[in-house]
Amino acid sequence: MKEKILAALMAALTAMSVSACAHKSDNNMMEKKKVLVVYFSATGTTASAAQILAKATDGALCEIVPQETYTPADLDWHDQQSRSSVEMAEANARPAIKPLKVNPGNFDYVFIGYPIWWDLAPRAVNTFIENHDLSGKTLIPFATSGSSAIDGSVRALRATYPKLKWQKGRLLNNADETKVKAWLDELF
């Protein structure tokens, strides 16, 4: 009788252990996946959000750096002749960027961060996407903005690169670790 009870108890404990492990891995897919947080930031605002996100995901952090740094005059959106205004007015503009320090092909999830310019991702983000093979990667946009939502920029990225696997993006204005972790819990 003791042997039957002991066997039943062992079977129950084994089942609970397997269930707990399966539940843990279901809830945290990123435990087994490699994460890259790549971002473009002209003023440092998006860089701050990217750093918090990289820490929360235990991911690699990599900046999209333009060959020519944007000056305050370049970013003057009130001036139609400013560099950013001219780039954003031309859908095919692709400003040169410096080579990345990592290979995005080595990652499963690629978070792509940017400030929102004219309801879009800056053209340097397009340069990044077009210069790297992101097929098979899960791409997750995040952005910062003074007044725009992220939806228009994500729609444009999906329309421009329909063969890539996009997830819903998130605006990370004034991001802190708690907000970022809550978003990650929603994603995974």
Side-chain angles (χ1 to χ4, degrees):
M1 182 74 162
K2 281 185 183 178
E3 292 173 9
K4 286 183 180 182
I5 293 173
L6 186 56
L9 183 57
M10 291 300 289
L13 287 174
T14 301
M16 286 178 6
S17 175
V18 168
S19 174
C21 289
H23 182 68
K24 181 179 180 184
S25 64
D26 288 346
N27 281 343
N28 195 355
M29 278 177 56
M30 288 191 310
E31 277 184 16
K32 298 181 264 178
K33 304 291 184 179
K34 289 185 174 183
V35 175
L36 172 63
V37 177
V38 64
Y39 68 95
F40 168 74
S41 185
T43 64
T45 303
T46 305
S48 296
Q51 291 165 357
I52 294 167
L53 183 56
K55 182 179 177 187
T57 60
D58 197 27
L61 182 65
C62 186
E63 183 176 6
I64 299 168
V65 180
Q67 285 288 354
E68 183 183 339
T69 303
Y70 288 87
T71 67
D74 291 335
L75 299 172
D76 183 0
W77 58 276
H78 294 291
D79 177 2
Q80 292 183 353
Q81 300 307 311
S82 73
R83 179 176 160 202
S84 59
S85 295
V86 170
E87 287 176 0
M88 296 311 291
E90 176 54 50
N92 293 323
R94 297 296 182 265
I97 62 174
K98 294 181 180 180
L100 294 184
K101 296 180 180 184
V102 299
N103 178 0
N106 295 335
F107 296 87
D108 303 301
Y109 292 97
V110 179
F111 287 85
I112 302 176
Y114 51 88
I116 296 175
W117 291 359
W118 291 263
D119 203 33
L120 300 169
R123 303 296 184 206
V125 172
N126 298 86
T127 305
F128 160 73
I129 293 170
E130 292 171 12
N131 286 344
H132 297 89
D133 181 8
L134 299 173
S135 57
K137 310 299 171 204
T138 300
L139 306 177
I140 308 167
F142 67 97
T144 58
S145 175
S147 61
S148 299
I150 193 172
D151 303 329
S153 67
V154 173
R155 271 192 306 276
L157 288 170
R158 285 182 178 183
T160 304
Y161 309 103
K163 293 183 179 179
L164 296 179
K165 182 180 171 187
W166 294 97
Q167 284 198 358
K168 184 177 180 181
R170 177 65 59 101
L171 200 61
L172 293 181
N173 288 341
N174 304 313
D176 62 24
E177 196 172 331
T178 302
K179 290 178 186 176
V180 169
K181 285 184 178 182
W183 176 45
L184 293 172
D185 286 344
E186 290 173 23
L187 282 174
F188 304 104

